[in-house]
Amino acid sequence: MIEHLRQAPIPSLRFAAVWLRNLKVWRKLMLPSMLGNFGEPLLYLLALGFGLGQFIGEIDGMTYMVFLASGIVCSAAMTGATFEALYSAYTRLTMQQTWAAMLAAPMTVDDVVLGEIVWAGTKALINASAIVLVAALLGLVAGPEAILVLPVIALAGLCFASIAMVVTALSPSYDFFLYYFTLVMTPMLLLSGVFFPLSGLPDAIALGAQFLPLAHVVMLVRPLMTGGSIDAPLLHLAVILAYTFVGYWISAAIARRRLIR
């Protein structure tokens, strides 16, 4: 395993074929897939925004509905990328043996893993863009600068897909994913400023949240959607990029060890 980790992934443009294959398959199931991935975050936005919003009032000078909308966009990107990189990618890896078929072509494991990550990031962008559109229609977006949210969300999708791909490459079964959701996804969702500001947390927990990629995504997306200023944007981007690169490196190494005997 150490030898595989020492070897940096060397992808090629052939990863685009993996992305295109997944896109063609998804188009056949596009409507139910969109409803499932888009419906849950929209429900959170409307139920919590209109429900709790009446009792909470303003947060950081904005209504709770406005505050929550930007957080839900980020969480939609995280869950969209994660589910695709976990369940769908694992199905192609094990049950359908799609990865094995791809490796019979002039394609490497690094190409397949990168193609899966980029596709999961694309799904995240699609899901989050729909939430941004709904937020704009509800008047929860400050101005046209909110369009800059989309490249941030695309990068965030790659980040969360890369992390989830490590779990997929390691996993012996679907049940293994429950550990990731319980130990990683849920704490990150609750402690990254999606539903309430980090300033309301104890200092130690707020400091620990700075190491979570979702927190940095929220710190970039929320000002863009609400018209605020971004503090230390390069730091936030650097953290997201670091998780993306390291996640891809490790997942590719584990996948090589798993598939190449």
Side-chain angles (χ1 to χ4, degrees):
M1 182 61 196
I2 299 300
E3 295 180 359
H4 289 285
L5 283 173
R6 288 175 179 171
Q7 178 185 345
I10 308 175
S12 69
L13 291 177
R14 289 188 291 269
F15 82 87
V18 180
W19 180 90
L20 183 60
R21 180 264 173 200
N22 291 343
L23 174 64
K24 290 181 177 179
V25 173
W26 176 75
R27 284 171 56 187
K28 299 178 181 179
L29 304 170
M30 181 171 59
L31 184 57
S33 176
M34 284 288 292
L35 290 175
N37 294 328
F38 170 67
E40 183 178 353
L42 179 61
L43 180 62
Y44 271 106
L45 175 61
L46 297 178
L48 294 181
F50 286 116
L52 288 178
Q54 299 181 22
F55 302 97
I56 294 177
E58 291 192 351
I59 296 180
D60 295 338
M62 65 188 81
T63 65
Y64 184 65
M65 190 72 163
V66 172
F67 178 90
L68 181 64
S70 53
I72 293 298
V73 168
C74 300
S75 68
M78 180 180 70
T79 55
T82 300
F83 271 91
E84 183 66 28
L86 288 180
Y87 290 97
S88 298
Y90 186 77
T91 299
R92 290 187 284 268
L93 169 63
T94 58
M95 306 299 293
Q96 298 175 348
Q97 291 294 308
T98 305
W99 288 27
M102 291 177 179
L103 293 175
M107 188 172 294
T108 66
V109 174
D110 296 344
D111 294 328
V112 176
V113 172
L114 181 57
E116 292 283 0
I117 288 173
V118 174
W119 168 244
T122 303
K123 287 289 296 296
L125 179 61
I126 293 172
N127 295 344
S129 297
I131 302 298
V132 172
L133 177 60
V134 171
L137 294 175
L138 293 175
L140 306 177
V141 173
E145 64 271 14
I147 195 68
L148 298 176
V149 166
L150 299 184
V152 176
I153 289 300
L155 179 58
L158 296 177
C159 172
F160 296 118
S162 297
I163 299 171
M165 195 59 65
V166 175
V167 182
T168 296
L170 281 171
S171 180
S173 68
Y174 291 104
D175 294 336
F176 191 77
F177 299 152
L178 295 177
Y179 296 107
Y180 181 66
F181 280 106
T182 301
L183 301 176
V184 178
M185 287 277 289
T186 300
M188 184 157 55
L189 182 64
L190 295 176
L191 300 177
S192 296
V194 172
F195 301 108
F196 47 81
L198 295 180
S199 58
L201 296 173
D203 292 341
I205 297 179
L207 178 61
Q210 303 300 319
F211 295 93
L212 302 175
L214 181 59
H216 292 275
V217 176
V218 172
M219 291 176 193
L220 286 172
V221 169
R222 180 160 286 139
L224 290 173
M225 289 187 63
T226 61
S229 58
I230 302 176
D231 296 327
L234 294 180
L235 172 63
H236 303 318
L237 289 172
V239 171
I240 298 169
L241 285 170
Y243 271 99
T244 304
F245 180 73
V246 172
Y248 172 49
W249 186 312
I250 295 175
S251 61
I254 298 172
R256 283 197 300 271
R257 181 175 180 269
R258 180 169 183 163
L259 295 171
I260 302 177
R261 302 297 182 180

